[in-house]
């Protein structure tokens, strides 16, 4: 098996699963963490000499947005796996109520319970993490996923439908949740930009190759 570039040589490719299978309640409230890491561990791109045979998994959370389309596109382009984060509880369809719900979960530091889990991520080296901007960061369901699955042996590439500010906040939150995780800067996009396949594909290539 060929090696990845020097950025990923140190990874051991051991999957550490910390899924809380015993959780029965819809949500969990975590003590708020106010201390941010002194340094955010990010790189501009993986600068891979070659992506094959590195395996890619696209993980996404989507509700009333085009994130699922973006995730499917990334999965097809990278010839990788696809996994959707789903919660046990349902979110409002009304936009105003959804915004209110997203803000409440973020404000109260709630971790929505997940109803599904990937069988294994041990075979994957690179994780595209796709999500919409909720409360100017990533949805709290993504926080649950990150805490349930220690991905410090992976390269994680965040992809945010929304503003670059939301992406920056999400990257900071990821680093705060799991210090030392290998995070690529990733990119943000709008629904209109997603329709331009060549441009969207170029951003994926930039994240992988620089």
């Amino acid at each position: 098996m060929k090696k990845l570039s020097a950025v990923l040589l140190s990874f051991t490719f051991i999957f550490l699963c910390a899924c809380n299978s015993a959780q029965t309640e819809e949500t969990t409230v975590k003590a708020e963490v106010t201390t941010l890491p002194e340094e955010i561990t990010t790189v501009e791109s993986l600068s891979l000499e070659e992506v094959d045979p590195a395996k890619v998994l696209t993980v996404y959370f989507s509700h009333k947005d085009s994130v699922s389309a973006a995730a499917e596109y990334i999965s097809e382009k990278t010839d990788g796996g696809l996994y959707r984060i789903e919660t046990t509880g349902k979110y409002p369809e009304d936009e105003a109520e959804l915004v209110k719900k997203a803000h409440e979960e973020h404000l109260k530091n709630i971790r929505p319970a997940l109803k599904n889990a990937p069988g294994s991520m041990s075979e994957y080296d690179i994780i595209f993490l796709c999500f919409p901007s909720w409360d100017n960061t990533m949805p709290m369901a993504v926080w649950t996923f990150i805490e349930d699955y220690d991905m410090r042996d992976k390269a994680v590439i965040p992809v945010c439908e929304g503003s670059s500010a939301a992406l920056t906040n999400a990257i900071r939150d990821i680093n705060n949740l799991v210090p030392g995780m290998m995070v690529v800067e990733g990119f943000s996009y709008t629904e209109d930009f997603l329709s331009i396949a060549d441009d969207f594909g170029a951003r994926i290539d930039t994240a992988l190759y620089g």
Side-chain angles (χ1 to χ4, degrees), residues 117-129:
S120 173
M121 294 196 298
S122 61
E123 63 183 291
Y124 298 104
D125 311 309
I126 301 167
I127 309 294
F128 277 91
L129 189 61

PDB file of all heavy atoms in Angstrom, residues 117-129:
ATOM      1  N   ALA A 117     -25.199   5.011  13.382  1.00  0.00           N
ATOM      2  CA  ALA A 117     -23.748   5.053  13.558  1.00  0.00           C
ATOM      3  C   ALA A 117     -23.087   4.325  12.401  1.00  0.00           C
ATOM      4  O   ALA A 117     -23.603   3.314  11.926  1.00  0.00           O
ATOM      5  CB  ALA A 117     -23.349   4.395  14.883  1.00  0.00           C
ATOM      6  N   PRO A 118     -21.976   4.853  11.920  1.00  0.00           N
ATOM      7  CA  PRO A 118     -21.278   4.137  10.847  1.00  0.00           C
ATOM      8  C   PRO A 118     -20.738   2.813  11.376  1.00  0.00           C
ATOM      9  O   PRO A 118     -20.295   2.719  12.514  1.00  0.00           O
ATOM     10  CB  PRO A 118     -20.143   5.094  10.472  1.00  0.00           C
ATOM     11  CG  PRO A 118     -19.917   5.907  11.706  1.00  0.00           C
ATOM     12  CD  PRO A 118     -21.263   6.048  12.349  1.00  0.00           C
ATOM     13  N   GLY A 119     -20.816   1.775  10.543  1.00  0.00           N
ATOM     14  CA  GLY A 119     -20.333   0.474  10.987  1.00  0.00           C
ATOM     15  C   GLY A 119     -18.877   0.521  11.396  1.00  0.00           C
ATOM     16  O   GLY A 119     -18.487  -0.028  12.424  1.00  0.00           O
ATOM     17  N   SER A 120     -18.062   1.206  10.606  1.00  0.00           N
ATOM     18  CA  SER A 120     -16.646   1.337  10.923  1.00  0.00           C
ATOM     19  C   SER A 120     -16.061   2.442  10.061  1.00  0.00           C
ATOM     20  O   SER A 120     -16.459   2.619   8.908  1.00  0.00           O
ATOM     21  CB  SER A 120     -15.906   0.029  10.653  1.00  0.00           C
ATOM     22  OG  SER A 120     -14.514   0.209  10.802  1.00  0.00           O
ATOM     23  N   MET A 121     -15.142   3.180  10.640  1.00  0.00           N
ATOM     24  CA  MET A 121     -14.424   4.189   9.866  1.00  0.00           C
ATOM     25  C   MET A 121     -12.944   3.856   9.777  1.00  0.00           C
ATOM     26  O   MET A 121     -12.139   4.663   9.322  1.00  0.00           O
ATOM     27  CB  MET A 121     -14.623   5.581  10.478  1.00  0.00           C
ATOM     28  CG  MET A 121     -16.047   6.089  10.401  1.00  0.00           C
ATOM     29  SD  MET A 121     -16.182   7.873  10.681  1.00  0.00           S
ATOM     30  CE  MET A 121     -15.556   7.993  12.360  1.00  0.00           C
ATOM     31  N   SER A 122     -12.574   2.682  10.229  1.00  0.00           N
ATOM     32  CA  SER A 122     -11.160   2.329  10.305  1.00  0.00           C
ATOM     33  C   SER A 122     -10.500   2.285   8.940  1.00  0.00           C
ATOM     34  O   SER A 122      -9.294   2.509   8.823  1.00  0.00           O
ATOM     35  CB  SER A 122     -11.002   0.978  11.009  1.00  0.00           C
ATOM     36  OG  SER A 122     -11.672  -0.039  10.296  1.00  0.00           O
ATOM     37  N   GLU A 123     -11.264   1.997   7.900  1.00  0.00           N
ATOM     38  CA  GLU A 123     -10.676   1.870   6.571  1.00  0.00           C
ATOM     39  C   GLU A 123     -10.446   3.217   5.892  1.00  0.00           C
ATOM     40  O   GLU A 123      -9.783   3.290   4.855  1.00  0.00           O
ATOM     41  CB  GLU A 123     -11.572   1.024   5.677  1.00  0.00           C
ATOM     42  CG  GLU A 123     -12.943   1.639   5.427  1.00  0.00           C
ATOM     43  CD  GLU A 123     -13.834   0.737   4.597  1.00  0.00           C
ATOM     44  OE1 GLU A 123     -13.549   0.546   3.393  1.00  0.00           O
ATOM     45  OE2 GLU A 123     -14.808   0.207   5.159  1.00  0.00           O
ATOM     46  N   TYR A 124     -10.970   4.291   6.499  1.00  0.00           N
ATOM     47  CA  TYR A 124     -10.884   5.611   5.859  1.00  0.00           C
ATOM     48  C   TYR A 124      -9.733   6.430   6.424  1.00  0.00           C
ATOM     49  O   TYR A 124      -9.435   6.384   7.611  1.00  0.00           O
ATOM     50  CB  TYR A 124     -12.205   6.369   6.019  1.00  0.00           C
ATOM     51  CG  TYR A 124     -13.363   5.657   5.349  1.00  0.00           C
ATOM     52  CD1 TYR A 124     -14.301   4.965   6.109  1.00  0.00           C
ATOM     53  CD2 TYR A 124     -13.509   5.661   3.965  1.00  0.00           C
ATOM     54  CE1 TYR A 124     -15.361   4.296   5.502  1.00  0.00           C
ATOM     55  CE2 TYR A 124     -14.565   5.009   3.344  1.00  0.00           C
ATOM     56  CZ  TYR A 124     -15.483   4.322   4.125  1.00  0.00           C
ATOM     57  OH  TYR A 124     -16.516   3.657   3.518  1.00  0.00           O
ATOM     58  N   ASP A 125      -9.114   7.213   5.536  1.00  0.00           N
ATOM     59  CA  ASP A 125      -7.986   8.063   5.914  1.00  0.00           C
ATOM     60  C   ASP A 125      -8.362   9.542   5.954  1.00  0.00           C
ATOM     61  O   ASP A 125      -7.779  10.317   6.702  1.00  0.00           O
ATOM     62  CB  ASP A 125      -6.830   7.885   4.915  1.00  0.00           C
ATOM     63  CG  ASP A 125      -6.513   6.429   4.661  1.00  0.00           C
ATOM     64  OD1 ASP A 125      -6.333   5.700   5.642  1.00  0.00           O
ATOM     65  OD2 ASP A 125      -6.447   6.021   3.485  1.00  0.00           O
ATOM     66  N   ILE A 126      -9.331   9.916   5.118  1.00  0.00           N
ATOM     67  CA  ILE A 126      -9.730  11.320   4.969  1.00  0.00           C
ATOM     68  C   ILE A 126     -11.231  11.432   5.165  1.00  0.00           C
ATOM     69  O   ILE A 126     -12.000  10.673   4.576  1.00  0.00           O
ATOM     70  CB  ILE A 126      -9.347  11.861   3.575  1.00  0.00           C
ATOM     71  CG1 ILE A 126      -7.834  11.757   3.356  1.00  0.00           C
ATOM     72  CG2 ILE A 126      -9.804  13.313   3.408  1.00  0.00           C
ATOM     73  CD1 ILE A 126      -7.421  11.973   1.908  1.00  0.00           C
ATOM     74  N   ILE A 127     -11.662  12.384   5.998  1.00  0.00           N
ATOM     75  CA  ILE A 127     -13.079  12.598   6.273  1.00  0.00           C
ATOM     76  C   ILE A 127     -13.483  13.996   5.816  1.00  0.00           C
ATOM     77  O   ILE A 127     -12.988  14.998   6.341  1.00  0.00           O
ATOM     78  CB  ILE A 127     -13.408  12.462   7.778  1.00  0.00           C
ATOM     79  CG1 ILE A 127     -12.863  11.145   8.351  1.00  0.00           C
ATOM     80  CG2 ILE A 127     -14.912  12.585   7.998  1.00  0.00           C
ATOM     81  CD1 ILE A 127     -13.500   9.915   7.811  1.00  0.00           C
ATOM     82  N   PHE A 128     -14.354  14.085   4.814  1.00  0.00           N
ATOM     83  CA  PHE A 128     -15.008  15.356   4.492  1.00  0.00           C
ATOM     84  C   PHE A 128     -16.198  15.489   5.422  1.00  0.00           C
ATOM     85  O   PHE A 128     -17.075  14.614   5.461  1.00  0.00           O
ATOM     86  CB  PHE A 128     -15.477  15.389   3.037  1.00  0.00           C
ATOM     87  CG  PHE A 128     -14.411  15.779   2.045  1.00  0.00           C
ATOM     88  CD1 PHE A 128     -13.622  14.806   1.452  1.00  0.00           C
ATOM     89  CD2 PHE A 128     -14.205  17.108   1.703  1.00  0.00           C
ATOM     90  CE1 PHE A 128     -12.642  15.148   0.537  1.00  0.00           C
ATOM     91  CE2 PHE A 128     -13.228  17.460   0.786  1.00  0.00           C
ATOM     92  CZ  PHE A 128     -12.442  16.481   0.198  1.00  0.00           C
ATOM     93  N   LEU A 129     -16.246  16.573   6.203  1.00  0.00           N
ATOM     94  CA  LEU A 129     -17.310  16.800   7.176  1.00  0.00           C
ATOM     95  C   LEU A 129     -18.182  17.946   6.669  1.00  0.00           C
ATOM     96  O   LEU A 129     -17.784  19.113   6.720  1.00  0.00           O
ATOM     97  CB  LEU A 129     -16.706  17.135   8.543  1.00  0.00           C
ATOM     98  CG  LEU A 129     -17.639  17.200   9.739  1.00  0.00           C
ATOM     99  CD1 LEU A 129     -18.318  15.850   9.986  1.00  0.00           C
ATOM    100  CD2 LEU A 129     -16.880  17.635  10.996  1.00  0.00           C
TER     101      LEU A 129
END
